[in-house]
Amino acid sequence: TLLYTIKFEANLNMEEFGQSLKDMAGTVGSMSIKGFDRAKQFSQEKMGNAVKTELDQDFIALSARVEETRSCVSKTSTAARNFLQPNAAARLEDMFNETVTGKGSNIDKRQTYSELMGHIMKTSGQQIGDSIKCGPSFVEVGETFQKLGMLEREYIRDVYNNFFKPFSNHLQVEYSNITAEKRRLDLARLDLDAAKSKVRGARTPEAMQQNEQKVRECQAAFDRQYEQTKILLTEADRKSDEFTCHLEEFIRSQMNYHEQAHKMLSETHANLKK
C-alpha cells in the first residue's frame, strides 16, 4: 500500500509538472505570437512575397524633410563645436564636463592662442628694450594680441551661449519623440499587414471572421499611431524655421567680434607707421 501511494503521488506530481510546463509554454507562445507575425511579415516583405501598406506621399515627404533637417543640424552642431574649440582634447574635456560631471564647459576660460602669442611678443619686446625700434613695436603688438585674445574669449562665450547651445538643443526632445513614434508606427504597420495576410489565408468562415476583426483592430491602432506621428512631424517641421534665429545670433556675434578686432588692429597699425 505504501509503495502504491508513493507511485500515485509521483505520478500526480509529474502530471502537475507537465501541466505547468504546458501552461508556461502557452503563455510564452501567446506573448511571442505578435513578435513572430511581425518577423514573418518583415521577412516576406524583404523577399517580395508580401503586400505592404504604403504611407501616403505627403507623409513620406514630411518625414524625409524633418529627418534631413535633423541630420543637417547634427552635422552643423558638430562643426560648430570644432570651430569654437579646434583642440580635440579640450573638446573632449568640455563634452565630458557638460554631460558627465555637470561642471559645464571651460570653452571660454582657456587662454587663447592670440593671448599666448601676445604674451611672448610683449615679453620679447621688454627683453629687447627701448634701445632699438623693434623693442617697443614688439610690446605694442603683443599688448594688442593680448587684448584680441580676451576679445576672442568674450566672442567664444557669446557664440557658445547664444548660438551653439540653443541651436544644438533646439528640437532635440521632439526629434527623440519622433524617432520613438516612427518606430511604433512601423510596428503597427507590420501588425496590420500581418493581420491582412491571415485573412487572405483563412480556410474557414470562422477563421475569416476572426481575422477580419483582427484587421479592424490593427487598422484602428495603425490610424491612431499614424496621426500621432504626423502631428509630431508637422510641429517639428514648423519649428525648424526657428533655426534661422539661432543663425542670426551667430552672424551677429561674428560681426561684433570682427568689428572690434578690426578697430584694435587698425589703431596698432597706425601707431607702428608713425
Side-chain angles (χ1 to χ4, degrees):
T1 305
L2 178 60
L3 180 60
Y4 175 79
T5 303
I6 292 175
K7 286 183 178 180
F8 176 78
E9 290 180 351
N11 290 335
L12 181 61
N13 291 337
M14 289 301 294
E15 289 177 1
E16 290 176 349
F17 178 71
Q19 186 61 43
S20 298
L21 286 178
K22 289 181 181 179
D23 293 341
M24 182 174 67
T27 302
V28 173
S30 64
M31 291 172 60
S32 62
I33 286 174
K34 180 178 287 189
F36 175 79
D37 288 343
R38 288 171 177 172
K40 180 181 177 182
Q41 177 68 24
F42 180 80
S43 299
Q44 289 179 338
E45 288 175 1
K46 290 298 182 183
M47 293 186 293
N49 298 329
V51 179
K52 178 180 178 180
T53 298
E54 298 292 344
L55 300 171
D56 65 79
Q57 291 302 311
D58 289 340
F59 182 92
I60 293 173
L62 174 63
S63 179
R65 188 165 60 248
V66 171
E67 175 57 27
E68 187 67 23
T69 303
R70 185 205 63 76
S71 177
C72 290
V73 167
S74 177
K75 289 185 287 188
T76 302
S77 296
T78 300
R81 185 182 283 278
N82 296 345
F83 170 79
L84 289 172
Q85 179 48 263
N87 186 293
R91 281 201 309 272
L92 185 61
E93 179 186 358
D94 287 337
M95 293 173 67
F96 181 80
N97 287 332
E98 289 170 10
T99 58
V100 179
T101 66
K103 295 179 180 178
S105 175
N106 291 323
I107 197 167
D108 62 328
K109 298 179 177 63
R110 298 184 185 90
Q111 228 179 6
T112 64
Y113 291 113
S114 297
E115 287 176 286
L116 291 172
M117 188 170 75
H119 174 73
I120 292 173
M121 295 181 74
K122 182 177 180 180
T123 302
S124 298
Q126 291 171 341
Q127 290 176 351
I128 293 171
D130 299 338
S131 57
I132 56 177
K133 184 178 180 181
C134 69
S137 297
F138 266 94
V139 171
E140 182 161 5
V141 174
E143 289 177 345
T144 298
F145 269 83
Q146 285 182 315
K147 293 177 183 177
L148 279 174
M150 296 177 64
L151 179 64
E152 187 176 345
R153 280 204 269 177
E154 293 177 4
Y155 155 72
I156 290 173
R157 180 170 57 250
D158 186 32
V159 171
Y160 180 78
N161 289 328
N162 295 313
F163 165 67
F164 175 75
K165 286 176 66 176
F167 184 87
S168 301
N169 294 331
H170 185 56
L171 289 182
Q172 288 308 303
V173 173
E174 286 86 345
Y175 286 147
S176 178
N177 291 338
I178 286 172
T179 299
E181 294 302 326
K182 286 173 69 175
R183 173 60 179 162
R184 294 190 184 100
L185 181 61
D186 287 339
L187 295 177
R189 201 271 308 161
L190 284 172
D191 291 340
L192 174 59
D193 289 337
K196 289 180 179 179
S197 179
K198 287 185 177 182
V199 169
R200 290 189 291 270
R203 297 186 179 182
T204 65
E206 292 78 10
M208 174 70 75
Q209 185 177 7
Q210 182 179 1
N211 291 335
E212 287 177 343
Q213 176 60 29
K214 184 64 176 178
V215 168
R216 287 191 288 271
E217 293 173 0
C218 290
Q219 184 70 59
F222 173 80
D223 291 342
R224 287 194 300 271
Q225 187 58 42
Y226 173 88
E227 291 300 326
Q228 175 65 21
T229 307
K230 188 175 182 180
I231 289 172
L232 291 178
L233 287 170
T234 302
E235 184 66 9
D237 191 46
R238 183 186 65 80
K239 286 186 176 181
S240 64
D241 291 342
E242 297 174 18
F243 282 114
T244 302
C245 299
H246 304 315
L247 292 170
E248 289 174 359
E249 283 297 312
F250 180 47
I251 296 302
R252 177 196 59 76
S253 298
Q254 287 274 333
M255 290 173 59
N256 289 343
Y257 167 70
H258 288 291
E259 182 180 348
Q260 295 181 61
H262 181 267
K263 182 179 179 181
M264 286 184 186
L265 292 171
S266 296
E267 292 175 354
T268 302
H269 183 256
N271 292 336
L272 291 174
K273 292 181 66 176
K274 290 180 182 178

